[in-house]
Each structure stands twice: as structure tokens, then as C-alpha cells.
Amino acid sequence: MNGPGPLVLDCTIRDGGYLNEWFFESKLVREVYRAVSKAGIDYFEIGFRGTDADFDPASYGLWRRTPDELIVETVKGIAGAKLAIMADFGKIRADDFAPADESPVTLVRLAAHKTAMREALALLQAVKGKGYETSLQAMGYSGYSKAEQEELAAMLTGSGTDFIYVADSYGSLFPDQVPELIEALLPLKAEMRIGFHPHNSLQMAFANSIAAIEAGADIVDSSIFGMGRGAGNLPTEIVLTWLQERMPDKFNAIPVLDMVSRHFSPMQAELGWGYQLPFMLSGLFKCHPYYASRLVDMREFTMEDIWRALTAVQRRDPVGFSESLVDEIVAEGISSPGVHVTAADGASASASALTAPDPVPYEGRHAGRAFLVLGNGPTLRTYKPQIDAFIAQYDPVVLGANHLAGLFVPDYHAFSNKRRFTSYVDEVFPSSALMVGQHIPEELVREYTQREFETVWYEDSAVADFGIERGVIACNCRTVSVLLMGVAAVMGAKTVFAVGMDGYLGLGADGEWLFYHEPEEKEDRELIASMHRDNRRYISQVDEFLKERGGEGVHILTPTSYEGFYKGIANYVRADLP
């Protein structure tokens, strides 16, 4: 290592806050600051600052805005690392900063996409004029073309910025790729320092940081125990241990290792950052980690499906994460070739409608009958006696799906999810007819069972309205019980009853929405709420579809958060059954 050695910026509180919405106790932040200062860390990024109008303070902890008064109270009496804060371009103004001599903050870091660089640099110049050190975080820099790198370097020349950061935004780099990115900025070193912010999606954060330092980077970012979104960051304690061997008079890893043992190892067990499949995939495909995590969390797709979807994301090269892009790619059909095609008469039609038998074999099979759809919510088990009595009294056509644990023997047992098919198809009773969604290929079916099955034809769309075209259902099929309501309509249902359809907003104990526990069953709150809204919309549309054809619509007989469709089972059978 030539020269005085690199600087280190610890961003535990700022980057780690993505995991707990910045709800860190001030006492812990003070302890972390004390530890990194004793360890020889140069800068401590104590949180975010912003003034965006959409900010909801009730949803975030103190360290999402981090006013100067809070910082002063938290660090008073501790001498050590310079204090830094991060801001997102577009969510901050120069007026949000007091003059530097009135603030405990030394360094202001501004993150900006390449489309906003000139405006971001103008903002940094205004902040610089107040006496702060400034840093430009070039988001997605690893994806810049050579021409874009040169354009950025030209904009930075003479800008007065103190630091320019290369960020491995998606954790997609390998050590042999890092020097080229650093070298493109080396001509700027007479004016500013070069920083490197790694992510650990491919477990390369430490190796890439060494490569960056050896290529000329002046400062690297890290966080204690790697705490950060997704797979996390370069662990502070690891880079400290490496630097301590080379600069023993400056660095000491022990205070930070003590923080790992006392606070961050237990926190990791609770919050779950670190090496995980979705974040490894986001690194491989150079895309925002939310794309991979959202597809994995849906628990609908095989790895081949997810690979195909992430390939589509990579081709489109989006800036940041777009929920609508996930929906669009899923709607296009990641389990099979393209979904939307043009019919012979020039009208738009779904590929499913054009390739399905006409009519589908089960169309009108049970015309005029009542149907009972078995959901998998907790009430399926708790209301079993009443459900048994309802089936005995009304003789509905019973449609079930996924894991039923032997509680009921449905007339039809269906699967639309490959993962659940492979997990539970062995449980299907011999007397139940097996139905398999069209996106589960026959070769996969035959790998797990040799029994006869029927294909369920549907257009899986999160945006299309419910409808039936040539027996093919347009439906959000992420919840198979909603799909089965559509199947009942195709089969000629007059009324669709449902049980165990508790809803994704959690009526069960501990907020569970299944009557059984599924391994790695966790989904983010936004996805849960989205699925719940989609299901409510489709249930309403199935209800209207049936009523328009002279039927009674949809009745959910067990307690549900789809309240508008609830008609308690006690209206049909005695509620006091043993």
C-alpha cells in the first residue's frame, strides 16, 4: 500500500436504516459512534437528511431526517470520526443546511442518477458555499458507458466537489472489473478524492474494496457486520482488520468487533441482512435487488422463471426499481413465451385463449351447481366441523388447492404455483381430480406424478379485469383460490361459496394467512397489501360476473378481511357444532 493509506467511512446508521426504517435508539447510535471513533474510522455517516413533501414522519425513525440538534445531543462529549449525512437529489435543498460552523456535520453526500448530474453538482456547490465538505455519489456508475464516464469527469472538473464516489450499486462487480472504473476518474485526483461504495451481493465487497484501493481509491464505505439493504455492505470489522495489519498505529478493530458481538449479531438474526438468493441474483443481473426479492417473495416461480424475468429486466435497463415493471413482465408470461398475440381476425387476444381447446373441457361441466372453494387460511382448520356440515347438507362442487393436510377431500385439487405443486401434489387424494395451471409444464408434472390431470387455462395478469374468453380466465392468479373462483364460473357455477379465505391482512394468530407454516414464508408489507387489494378487486368482479348471469355471486362463509363478501357459515349450518 503506497502513501498514507485509505480513509474509511462507516455508514451503518444510514445504510442499515433501510432494514428497520431508521428506528435506532439514540443510545445505540452513540455507542456505535464511540466504537468507530476508537477504531480509527475517519467519517461516520449518521443518517439521512431530506425535505421531500411525501415524507411521513410517523413511518420512520429519527435517523431518516437527522436534524443537527439530534446529532449534537447524541455525540456530545465524544471526540473522533467526522460526521457525514446522506441526501437524495430531488429530496433536499441547500436551505436545509445551516452554515457549517453552526452544524456538527462535516460532510454532505448527495446521491444522484446520471440524468440529474448537472443539477446535483449545482446543489453541491451551494452546500459547499456554506462551508461543508461535499461528495457526489454517482448512482449506478458501474453501468456507465465510456462516453458517460468521460462526460461525468468533465462536469466534475472545477466543480469544487471534495469526493466523487463509484458505487457498485447492485453488487455486480468482480475485482478485475473495479480498476477500470477507478482509473476513469484518476485524472480528477488533483481536485478531489475518489471513493468506492461496495455491495456484497456476490460476496465480493471486501475483494472489490481492496482492488479499488490498489487502483487509487482514497476512501471506502463500510458498515458494522455489513448491515445494509439486501446482501449488505463491506463489513467494517473486516476492512479494519485488514488495515490494522498495515497501519497498526491508526486502526483497531476490537471496539467494532465488540459492537458486533453485543448488538449487531443479534440484530442480524432479527432483520436478516446478508448473503441471500435474491441479492445474489440481483448482482448477477446488474439490477436493483428489489426485482429479485419481489419475484422470489411471490413464491410462484421456479428459478428458471425468475432467471427469465431478470433477463427481461436487464434488457430494459431500468433506473432504480419499478413495481409496474415487475407486473408488466409477470403479465407478459415469464413461465412461457409471450402472452399477447393477434388473432386471425386482427383482434387482440391472449395466447392462452388461442392455444386452449375450444371449448376448454370443463366449460359448463357443472352448470347451475353451487361451488365451495377451499382457501388455505387459518379458519379452514378452525371451522372444519361447520364446513363438513355445510358440504354434507348442500353437496357443492368442492375445489381445493395446495396443502390441505387431509382436512378435506375436494372434488378437484388444483395447483397454479410450481413450488407448491412439487411440495404437495403427493397429498392429492385418489378420488380428487387433479387440475394443473397451464404454466406448470407437462414435463414437470410427469416428474412428480403419473396420474391424469386437466390443464387450467388462464391469463395471469395483475392489471387486466376478470373475464372469461373461450373458457380462458383473465385473473390475478397469484392466489389460487381466486383462480378457482374463475374455474367455478367456467364450470357453470350459480353461486360460489368460499371458506378459509381469510385475506392477506392477517386475521389468523400472529398475522399468519395460512393454516399451516410454509418454510421461508415471508413477504414484504407492500407486496402483501398489493395482493390483498388485487384479490378484493377480482372477487368483486367474479361476484358481478355471476350475478349478471342470474347467479347469487360470491359468499365467504368463514371470517375474512374481505368483509363485503362475508356471510357467516352459521347462516347455513349450526354454529355450535362440536
Side-chain angles (χ1 to χ4, degrees):
M1 184 184 303
N2 298 321
L7 305 175
V8 179
L9 181 148
D10 181 275
C11 58
T12 303
I13 302 305
R14 193 272 303 173
D15 219 339
Y18 285 106
L19 297 169
N20 64 356
E21 307 294 357
W22 294 273
F23 282 102
F24 292 103
E25 293 183 2
S26 295
K27 181 180 178 181
L28 175 63
V29 177
R30 180 173 172 83
E31 285 194 54
V32 173
Y33 179 61
R34 189 195 309 275
V36 299
S37 296
K38 290 172 66 176
I41 295 295
D42 300 279
Y43 290 86
F44 179 65
E45 192 168 58
I46 200 165
F48 262 107
R49 186 165 296 175
T51 55
D52 47 307
D54 295 334
F55 181 77
D56 177 11
S59 300
Y60 298 98
L62 295 171
W63 309 97
R64 185 60 182 83
R65 282 296 180 87
T66 323
D68 284 346
E69 297 79 9
L70 172 65
I71 299 174
V72 169
E73 183 65 25
T74 301
V75 306
K76 66 181 179 181
I78 303 174
K82 295 179 180 180
L83 294 167
I85 57 173
M86 176 73 83
D88 288 325
F89 179 75
K91 299 180 180 180
I92 198 76
R93 302 167 302 170
D95 291 344
D96 296 322
F97 298 94
D101 59 5
E102 300 175 12
S103 171
V105 172
T106 299
L107 172 65
V108 174
R109 306 211 296 171
L110 183 65
H113 289 288
K114 57 188 175 185
T115 53
M117 282 302 173
R118 292 192 185 278
E119 297 88 345
L121 285 171
L123 176 57
L124 281 180
Q125 286 175 339
V127 174
K128 177 84 170 176
K130 294 193 171 192
Y132 293 93
E133 295 178 17
T134 58
S135 176
L136 177 67
Q137 317 298 112
M139 298 175 69
Y141 183 81
S142 58
Y144 275 38
S145 67
K146 193 70 174 176
E148 289 169 335
Q149 291 176 358
E150 293 172 355
E151 182 181 8
L152 175 60
M155 283 190 280
L156 285 164
T157 301
S159 68
T161 303
D162 296 287
F163 296 89
I164 171 61
Y165 258 85
V166 171
D168 182 11
S169 297
Y170 305 133
S172 59
L173 294 176
F174 290 95
D176 61 328
Q177 298 170 314
V178 172
E180 182 179 357
L181 298 177
I182 300 296
E183 288 163 7
L185 298 171
L186 290 179
L188 296 168
K189 288 196 69 167
E191 300 182 42
M192 64 194 66
R193 289 169 165 164
I194 299 171
F196 182 66
H197 182 93
H199 288 137
N200 215 16
S201 303
L202 299 177
Q203 300 294 281
M204 288 290 147
F206 182 44
N208 286 341
S209 297
I210 294 174
I213 291 167
E214 291 178 344
D218 302 289
I219 184 169
V220 294
D221 290 359
S222 64
S223 62
I224 296 176
F225 216 40
M227 186 180 187
R229 199 163 36 178
N233 305 310
L234 168 66
T236 299
E237 63 279 5
I238 289 179
V239 72
L240 276 176
T241 302
W242 181 72
L243 287 169
Q244 184 176 337
E245 288 190 2
R246 291 152 180 80
M247 304 170 65
D249 294 336
K250 175 170 171 51
F251 293 109
N252 177 13
I254 291 175
V256 172
L257 288 169
D258 182 60
M259 293 300 297
V260 171
S261 175
R262 291 168 51 207
H263 297 288
F264 286 86
S265 183
M267 203 182 302
Q268 186 196 44
E270 177 186 352
L271 298 176
W273 72 86
Y275 181 76
Q276 296 174 37
L277 176 62
F279 309 116
M280 182 272 285
L281 290 170
S282 71
L284 287 175
F285 285 94
K286 301 178 177 64
C287 64
H288 195 288
Y290 283 5
Y291 286 108
S293 60
R294 185 57 50 90
L295 290 163
V296 171
D297 283 350
M298 286 177 179
R299 301 202 310 274
E300 298 176 46
F301 308 117
T302 65
M303 191 48 57
E304 182 180 356
D305 297 335
I306 293 171
W307 191 280
R308 187 180 294 114
L310 292 177
T311 299
V313 171
Q314 187 179 34
R315 280 199 305 266
R316 300 183 196 199
D317 192 25
V319 174
F321 173 72
S322 167
E323 178 76 45
S324 61
L325 179 56
V326 175
D327 290 338
E328 181 182 334
I329 290 172
V330 170
E332 288 176 358
I334 64 174
S335 298
S336 61
V339 170
H340 293 95
V341 297
T342 302
D345 60 3
S348 176
S350 71
S352 302
L354 294 179
T355 57
D358 188 8
V360 298
Y362 46 85
E363 185 174 20
R365 182 179 290 170
H366 302 291
R369 293 278 303 275
F371 281 70
L372 177 66
V373 173
L374 306 177
N376 299 109
T379 57
L380 187 71
R381 186 188 294 277
T382 56
Y383 279 75
K384 175 175 167 49
Q386 292 91 336
I387 296 169
D388 283 335
F390 179 87
I391 293 172
Q393 183 172 345
Y394 293 95
D395 188 30
V397 179
V398 180
L399 309 179
N402 299 334
H403 179 51
L404 295 176
L407 293 173
F408 301 96
V409 183
D411 296 298
Y412 296 88
H413 197 137
F415 298 92
S416 62
N417 179 307
K418 295 175 184 176
R419 293 178 62 180
R420 290 194 173 116
F421 171 80
T422 58
S423 297
Y424 305 125
V425 67
D426 289 344
E427 301 178 5
V428 178
F429 281 90
S431 58
S432 299
L434 176 62
M435 302 190 81
V436 176
Q438 68 180 69
H439 295 311
I440 302 179
E442 183 172 2
E443 56 267 27
L444 180 63
V445 175
R446 289 294 168 238
E447 186 176 343
Y448 285 85
T449 183
Q450 294 303 310
R451 63 183 295 161
E452 294 299 316
F453 70 93
E454 282 189 298
T455 299
V456 178
W457 296 93
Y458 62 94
E459 179 80 12
D460 188 0
S461 172
V463 294
D465 288 331
F466 173 82
I468 297 175
E469 177 188 5
R470 307 179 193 177
V472 176
I473 304 159
C475 179
N476 177 352
C477 301
R478 296 177 189 176
T479 301
V480 67
S481 52
V482 175
L483 172 62
L484 289 180
M485 288 183 172
V487 171
V490 175
M491 288 184 169
K494 177 181 179 182
T495 306
V496 175
F497 297 98
V499 292
M501 192 174 282
D502 300 18
Y504 282 105
L505 295 186
L507 292 177
D510 301 322
E512 297 289 341
W513 57 82
L514 298 175
F515 75 84
Y516 60 95
H517 177 71
E518 204 163 63
E520 299 181 3
E521 179 194 320
K522 64 174 184 177
E523 305 194 35
D524 65 58
R525 288 174 294 178
E526 289 183 10
L527 181 59
I528 293 168
S530 173
M531 293 173 72
H532 189 86
R533 289 193 301 269
D534 288 342
N535 282 351
R536 184 186 297 276
R537 179 165 69 95
Y538 279 103
I539 294 169
S540 177
Q541 291 176 352
V542 173
D543 181 67
E544 289 299 319
F545 181 92
L546 295 173
K547 289 177 179 177
E548 288 172 359
R549 286 153 182 78
E552 294 183 27
V554 174
H555 300 305
I556 301 177
L557 304 181
T558 51
T560 177
S561 50
Y562 305 118
E563 300 90 347
F565 305 98
Y566 178 56
K567 187 174 183 181
I569 199 166
N571 290 293
Y572 298 90
V573 298
R574 296 199 326 270
D576 60 347
L577 287 172

